[in-house]
Amino acid sequence: TVQVIALIHTLLRNSKLTRVRRIMILLPTNVLMNWRVEIKKWTEHCAYQIRIYKLPMQNCENLTRSRLAVIQSWFNDGGVLLLGYHMFTNLV
């Protein structure tokens, strides 16, 4: 996990050189929050902070619209989108 976070941080921090602005991480749903916590933990003292996006899972009034808004923000602003395997297959 730490090696992947270091790679992600390096790619995004140097996006002008790497041309990487967005990264999607597909993982089991039960570790989504662990990854979010680990990314924050290992980069908390870095000058460059990684934007982390996670789709809403709860039943809100318009779940589809809320999820689309998160995906659009990630696409426009860049960062890391944490996505479960099942959700990815549903979206694709």
Side-chain angles (χ1 to χ4, degrees):
T1 306
V2 175
Q3 290 174 330
V4 173
I5 293 169
L7 175 63
I8 289 168
H9 187 270
T10 302
L11 291 171
L12 293 175
R13 173 84 166 94
N14 299 292
S15 63
K16 290 183 181 179
L17 282 171
T18 64
R19 297 185 185 180
V20 174
R21 290 187 47 242
R22 300 175 225 56
I23 295 175
M24 179 187 301
I25 302 177
L26 300 176
L27 46 135
T29 307
N30 60 335
V31 296
L32 277 171
M33 290 310 294
N34 295 359
W35 268 82
R36 185 180 191 137
V37 168
E38 289 295 311
I39 291 171
K40 289 184 178 207
K41 173 185 171 182
W42 291 106
T43 62
E44 68 183 340
H45 298 296
C46 298
Y48 176 81
Q49 291 296 304
I50 299 172
R51 293 178 192 205
I52 305 168
Y53 299 89
K54 182 182 154 306
L55 298 184
M57 303 293 277
Q58 302 160 352
N59 293 330
C60 58
E61 189 172 313
N62 195 332
L63 188 58
T64 303
R65 189 171 299 194
S66 298
R67 288 176 176 167
L68 180 58
V70 171
I71 292 170
Q72 284 178 328
S73 293
W74 167 70
F75 188 83
N76 293 333
D77 301 333
V80 174
L81 175 63
L82 301 174
L83 199 57
Y85 301 131
H86 189 261
M87 180 64 69
F88 178 74
T89 57
N90 285 344
L91 292 172
V92 173

